Amino acid sequence: MDIKDTLLAAIEEAAKAAIADGVFPEAQLPNIILEVPPKKEMGDFATNFAMQSAKAFRMNPRKIAEEVTGRINGDWLEHVEIAGPGFINFFLKANVLYDGLKAIMDRGESFGQLPKKDMKPVQVEYVSANPTGPLHVGHGRGAAAGSALVNVMRAAGYPVTSEYYINDAGNQINNLALSVDHRYLELLGKATEDTFPENGYHGADIIDTAQRIIKKDGDKYLNMSEEERLNIFKELALKEKLAALKEDLAAFNCEFDVWYSERTLHPDKVKAAIEALQKNGKIYEEGGALWLKSTDYGDDKDRVVIRDNGVPTYLAADIAYHKDKFERGFGKLINIWGADHHGYICRVKAAMSALGYNADDLDVLLLQMVRLLRGGELVKLSKRTGQTVTLAELIEEVGTDAARYFFIMRSMDSQLDFDLDLAKSKSNENPVYYIQYAHARICSIFRQAEETGLKVTDGVELSLLKDETEIDIINKLQEYEEEIERAAAEYAPQRIARYAYELAGKFHSFYNQCRILGVDDKLAEARLALVTVTAHTIRHALGILGVSAPEKM
């Protein structure tokens, strides 16, 4: 148990003791919150527990604070102060701080990896863009945020599987085949632009696909029937687009455990899902179509799942897909969707409830829009194609590290203004550069220390670390695993981005204030120990974000 857990337990025990003594009435204790105060003179930790519990205990907060603090004691506590309307400020003994740092040092490379949780596996499904063209910057935000969420949940001990749902069935794939077919015919002089399919894809990548087909096979498909040609082009284009999509994601440090094909749902799993709903009395027929009684679960209207022509809707496939997820043994499903899917959440949750699952076991996170800015001006279109800026183009311009950090540093549910100029700048104003430079600086210190023979021994005297900047780093390091736990529980990987930035800032302040080499050997050793742990923590946090930690810059 670390010092924060010890302190939380002490507050809870003191409150329960006051209840047992009859000083406080029987009441449900609120969730106790501990924070590090903004100023050192306000203590090492502070809590607003007294204000939180004032209503439940029907008592003045300061009186609550007095009763609680009077029942707390421990060899780790220097003293306690009550401030303002009832804040409780805790001042820890100096050895507690150094013991905490020593415990982190003893953890070595395992610091930042929490114990495995005993629970059903969690599935995170994200990106899942139609394989009909290149990924754009919006998909990039989903890829960065989704993979960082998977990483932080794994660090927090959750059993997590990442999954990409390949939309390889339905009209979008038919339209892909039609688009490639038309470009193929057009390049061979057998079609014109004015007959391009109404719902076709106009991207330059479609022309590239058609050109590659011609380069490899020439005009051999001209003699086939349109149906035969479309079936061949559908498979060729799908295979090519999916391979390109996987390549872009790999270049973006985004890997998936499972690539799940929508085609595998048809027809058996879709049919089984509809039959299960019918068995539960949640499907009715009207106008020759089958309808889900989604209004029973809060939807604004019932939804068609099988059209009057017998063809399943997209919703039917999604119902079968989510049913299959639960049947695979996942206890929690997390989907990351674009904000334009907001209205779709209720109907999928309704279907899960209708199937007998707990709809609360499905969480849908909505990803807001990304606006690219260059020179303060909005960038809407690709310079290369005149269409939407692709993820590959963004990586080419600013690099994977900057792109990932900028995508993750804001909450998924907030609109993101992505400043291309800032992302490319090599200055402290660029947050990812600022963090990476801290790590590179520490690596430079390691190289210099090695040249002088300085190293950390088992007898390192951590109590020599007394400068305010050193204490700030130690306190920040001791927050790291709690940040991981909260980021995972709240689906908020941006917390790790912010933490890494703040830790880097504290290191830069220390670096400007304190020398490591050229001071007393024991102090130099203690400071080297401190920056060793700092480097690991920065590297670990950047790893969660999918960002590299360079040793030289």
Side-chain angles (χ1 to χ4, degrees):
M1 182 181 290
D2 65 20
I3 186 59
K4 196 165 187 179
D5 289 334
T6 301
L7 193 48
L8 287 168
I11 296 168
E12 182 178 350
E13 289 172 9
K16 287 180 177 178
I19 292 173
D21 293 343
V23 176
F24 295 164
E26 287 284 347
Q28 179 72 37
L29 297 183
N31 184 39
I32 304 170
I33 298 172
L34 273 180
E35 294 183 339
V36 176
K39 297 180 181 178
K40 184 63 180 173
E41 56 267 27
M42 297 169 70
D44 296 291
F45 291 101
T47 182
N48 64 347
F49 172 79
M51 283 90 85
Q52 285 179 290
S53 57
K55 185 175 180 180
F57 291 152
R58 301 186 297 279
M59 192 176 293
N60 182 282
R62 284 192 68 91
K63 175 63 175 174
I64 294 172
E66 290 168 3
E67 294 293 343
V68 168
T69 56
R71 289 172 170 78
I72 294 178
N73 56 66
D75 57 7
W76 39 268
L77 190 61
E78 183 66 40
H79 70 281
V80 183
E81 291 180 359
I82 300 172
F87 288 102
I88 304 174
N89 296 334
F90 297 93
F91 295 79
L92 305 178
K93 289 183 179 177
N95 68 291
V96 173
L97 189 72
Y98 304 120
D99 288 348
L101 178 59
K102 181 63 167 59
I104 292 173
M105 290 174 55
D106 291 344
R107 293 276 303 281
E109 292 297 307
S110 70
F111 180 61
Q113 179 58 56
L114 279 59
K116 292 187 181 301
K117 291 177 166 45
D118 183 14
M119 60 184 295
K120 283 187 173 183
V122 177
Q123 188 219 49
V124 182
E125 183 228 320
Y126 60 103
V127 184
S128 297
N130 291 342
T132 54
L135 298 172
H136 57 64
V137 293
H139 298 133
R141 187 181 191 188
S147 55
L149 177 59
V150 169
N151 292 340
V152 77
M153 292 187 76
R154 285 177 175 157
Y158 290 82
V160 181
T161 295
S162 60
E163 184 156 306
Y164 190 111
Y165 181 54
I166 309 168
N167 296 106
D168 53 3
N171 288 334
Q172 72 274 10
I173 300 301
N174 293 333
N175 289 333
L176 172 64
L178 286 168
S179 304
V180 172
D181 181 59
H182 188 277
R183 293 306 187 196
Y184 174 81
L185 296 174
E186 197 175 346
L187 288 168
L188 292 173
K190 301 297 183 180
T192 58
E193 179 67 31
D194 59 357
T195 58
F196 193 80
E198 182 180 354
N199 295 315
Y201 298 107
H202 291 269
D205 62 294
I206 301 295
I207 298 174
D208 294 340
T209 298
Q211 287 175 330
R212 280 189 284 271
I213 291 173
I214 293 171
K215 183 177 180 180
K216 181 176 182 292
D217 296 325
D219 63 358
K220 80 174 200 178
Y221 299 111
L222 285 179
N223 297 324
M224 292 183 177
S225 68
E226 182 181 41
E227 182 180 357
E228 287 180 292
R229 196 168 60 244
L230 286 173
N231 284 333
I232 291 172
F233 287 175
K234 180 189 293 186
E235 298 308 315
L236 286 174
L238 180 59
K239 183 178 179 180
E240 180 183 281
K241 300 306 174 194
L242 192 56
L245 188 150
K246 289 182 176 181
E247 186 177 335
D248 283 350
L249 289 170
F252 203 48
N253 296 335
C254 184
E255 303 282 351
F256 290 88
D257 299 315
V258 177
W259 293 80
Y260 191 103
S261 167
E262 181 187 352
R263 289 182 177 184
T264 62
L265 296 171
H266 298 277
D268 295 344
K269 291 182 179 180
V270 172
K271 181 181 178 183
I274 300 304
E275 288 177 348
L277 289 168
Q278 288 174 318
K279 183 178 179 181
N280 290 351
K282 299 302 179 181
I283 293 282
Y284 65 91
E285 183 178 346
E286 184 177 293
L290 296 183
W291 297 70
L292 171 68
K293 294 180 181 179
S294 53
T295 51
D296 287 356
Y297 303 95
D299 198 2
D300 60 342
K301 61 181 180 180
D302 291 340
R303 307 289 174 173
V304 175
V305 288
I306 304 293
R307 300 180 181 92
D308 56 8
N309 61 2
V311 177
T313 62
Y314 286 119
L315 178 59
D318 283 332
I319 293 170
Y321 177 45
H322 286 80
K323 177 175 180 285
D324 181 76
K325 290 183 181 188
F326 281 120
E327 288 177 343
R328 281 185 273 157
F330 294 111
K332 172 67 75 174
L333 309 180
I334 303 170
N335 294 345
I336 300 178
W337 292 348
D340 56 336
H341 286 72
H342 179 271
Y344 203 70
I345 299 173
C346 186
R347 64 195 75 167
V348 176
K349 280 180 166 281
M352 294 305 99
S353 295
L355 285 168
Y357 298 111
N358 184 353
D360 290 339
D361 289 335
L362 168 60
D363 289 334
V364 179
L365 312 180
L366 293 178
L367 202 66
Q368 295 295 330
M369 291 177 57
V370 178
R371 297 197 318 165
L372 295 180
L373 302 174
R374 183 184 287 113
E377 298 293 326
L378 186 63
V379 179
K380 289 185 178 181
L381 302 177
S382 163
K383 289 182 178 178
R384 190 173 304 162
T385 67
Q387 296 179 314
T388 305
V389 179
T390 66
L391 175 60
E393 289 173 318
L394 180 67
I395 294 172
E396 183 181 339
E397 180 164 353
V398 307
T400 291
D401 287 344
R404 285 189 62 96
Y405 188 91
F406 274 60
F407 280 142
I408 298 167
M409 69 180 182
R410 299 279 181 265
S411 170
M412 290 183 228
D413 61 4
S414 62
Q415 182 170 300
L416 175 66
D417 285 348
F418 192 117
D419 188 330
L420 293 165
D421 299 320
L422 180 61
K424 289 186 289 185
S425 71
K426 291 178 169 53
S427 70
N428 288 342
E429 283 69 42
N430 179 350
V432 69
Y433 178 87
Y434 185 71
I435 299 166
Q436 290 179 317
Y437 189 50
H439 185 266
R441 262 184 166 174
I442 295 175
C443 291
S444 174
I445 292 170
F446 292 159
R447 291 190 290 271
Q448 295 175 58
E450 188 175 2
E451 290 173 5
T452 62
L454 177 65
K455 60 182 179 179
V456 179
T457 66
D458 291 338
V460 59
E461 296 181 29
L462 300 177
S463 60
L464 296 173
L465 301 171
K466 297 183 181 298
D467 188 88
E468 185 176 350
T469 60
E470 295 167 331
I471 302 302
D472 283 347
I473 291 178
I474 297 172
N475 281 326
K476 195 66 183 175
L477 290 169
Q478 297 198 61
E479 295 175 19
Y480 183 51
E481 291 194 333
E482 183 188 357
E483 278 297 324
I484 290 174
E485 188 70 78
R486 289 187 64 180
E490 298 172 10
Y491 306 155
Q494 73 274 8
R495 295 188 69 97
I496 304 302
R498 183 169 63 247
Y499 176 89
Y501 181 80
E502 291 172 355
L503 179 59
K506 293 187 182 302
F507 167 75
H508 287 306
S509 296
F510 159 78
Y511 183 86
N512 293 328
Q513 179 73 21
C514 301
R515 295 179 61 189
I516 293 180
L517 304 178
V519 297
D520 175 79
D521 286 350
K522 290 188 178 297
L523 177 58
E525 182 186 350
R527 286 177 172 170
L528 185 63
L530 179 62
V531 299
T532 298
V533 178
T534 303
H536 164 74
T537 308
I538 290 175
R539 192 162 56 248
H540 192 276
L542 289 176
I544 286 174
L545 303 177
V547 174
S548 70
E551 296 185 2
K552 293 182 179 180
M553 288 178 71

